[in-house]
């Protein structure tokens, strides 16, 4: 059976090759700086974000920057232990573009093509983990799960906080679409929505509570 190390090494090499062969994508991205998923391999609950940022690259773990601080706050408030979760991203490298000063990089949104190229890696990760519950943070991971589960594309505004059944490689699971923690930095009205949705998550998490 493949280990996580095998899966990560295989898809990293594949993705590096595919990005370098896609001249349009290659020209629009910075150097590929990877951050892998992190957490217990037997976690029943998997949390999926969009892509690592600068701080995640620096520390080598997902959700350790500003968005991670908001996530930690809500996990604490709802009594869900972060170290009981497996945390990963759809795109495993920083979505970078050249910054204003030479040698610097800024974040940018994911391009449809790179979400598509990243799907096989996320799918394999989920097949390996077999989570009973998946939490998607933001529109990109929601879209990714809709593709992986082969169901129609859902709008986050219409389905956030709801438990949705999915089959991944014939294994049944449930996912809950949530807003991205960083969305409340730009739109304060999403904070209470995010908090209410996490109450639903807490009820579904059960054994990860303190
Ligand atoms: N950090 C991550 O790891 N993922 C995100 O989507 C945002 C910040």
């Amino acid at each position: 059976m493949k280990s996580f190390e095998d899966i990560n090494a295989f898809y990293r090499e594949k993705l590096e090759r595919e990005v370098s062969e896609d001249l349009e994508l290659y020209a629009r991205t910075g150097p590929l700086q990877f951050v892998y998923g992190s957490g217990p391999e037997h976690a029943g609950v998997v949390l999926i974000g969009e892509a690592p940022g600068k701080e995640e690259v620096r520390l080598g773990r997902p959700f350790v920057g500003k968005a991670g601080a908001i996530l930690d706050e809500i996990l604490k408030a709802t009594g869900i232990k972060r170290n009981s979760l497996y945390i990963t991203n759809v795109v495993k490298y920083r979505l970078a573009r050249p910054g204003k000063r030479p040698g610097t990089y800024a974040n940018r949104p994911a391009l449809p093509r790179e979400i598509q190229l990243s799907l096989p890696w996320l799918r394999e990760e989920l097949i390996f983990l077999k989570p009973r519950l998946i939490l998607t943070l933001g529109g990109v991971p929601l879209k990714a799960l809709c593709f992986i589960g082969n169901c129609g594309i859902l709008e986050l505004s219409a389905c956030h906080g709801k438990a949705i059944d999915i089959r991944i490689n014939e294994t049944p699971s449930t996912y809950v679409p949530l807003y991205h923690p960083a969305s409340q930095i730009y739109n304060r009205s999403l904070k209470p929505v995010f908090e209410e949705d996490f109450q639903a998550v807490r009820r579904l998490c059960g054994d990860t509570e303190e």
Side-chain angles (χ1 to χ4, degrees), residues 7-8 11-12 14-16 18-19 25 32 34-35 48-52 88-95 108 110-126 140-141 144-145 147-148:
I7 294 171
N8 287 338
Y11 282 101
R12 177 184 179 138
K14 181 172 180 305
L15 206 56
E16 278 172 331
E18 287 168 337
V19 171
L25 178 56
L32 299 189
F34 286 86
V35 176
I48 311 174
E50 179 177 351
T88 191
N89 283 297
V90 175
V91 180
K92 305 284 192 289
Y93 56 85
R94 182 178 178 202
L95 294 167
R108 61 170 173 82
L111 298 165
R113 175 83 183 122
E114 60 198 337
I115 297 175
Q116 193 190 17
L117 291 177
S118 295
L119 286 180
W121 191 345
L122 178 64
R123 184 171 182 275
E124 182 102 15
E125 219 175 357
L126 294 173
V140 168
L145 266 207
F147 280 122
I148 289 174

Side-chain angles (χ1 to χ4, degrees), residues 49-53 56 61-65 67-68 88-89 137 180:
E50 179 177 351
E56 282 76 19
R61 281 195 309 133
F63 282 102
V64 290
T88 191
N89 283 297
L137 296 177
H180 194 280

Side-chain angles (χ1 to χ4, degrees), residues 47-53 56 62-71 74 87-90 95 107 135-142 156 160 176-187 190-191 193-195 197-198:
L47 203 141
I48 311 174
E50 179 177 351
E56 282 76 19
F63 282 102
V64 290
K66 265 191 204 154
I70 298 171
L71 178 66
I74 192 83
I87 306 182
T88 191
N89 283 297
V90 175
L95 294 167
N107 293 340
L135 309 175
T136 58
L137 296 177
V140 168
L142 171 60
L156 183 53
H160 66 91
V176 181
L178 298 163
Y179 281 100
H180 194 280
S183 59
Q184 56 187 266
I185 300 173
Y186 311 103
N187 181 352
L190 288 178
K191 189 172 189 293
V193 181
F194 187 70
E195 287 169 354
D197 287 350
F198 254 88

Side-chain angles (χ1 to χ4, degrees), residues 1 10 32 38-39 42 48 54 58 60 76 82 85-86 100 103 125 132 143-144 152 156 179 182 186 189 191 196 200:
M1 182 167 160
F10 174 81
L32 299 189
S38 146
H42 301 291
I48 311 174
K54 189 177 175 185
R58 192 177 74 80
K76 196 159 177 238
R82 180 175 168 132
L85 308 173
Y86 180 89
K100 289 199 181 102
E125 219 175 357
R132 64 180 176 80
K143 197 178 278 180
L156 183 53
Y179 281 100
Y186 311 103
S189 70
K191 189 172 189 293
E196 196 174 312

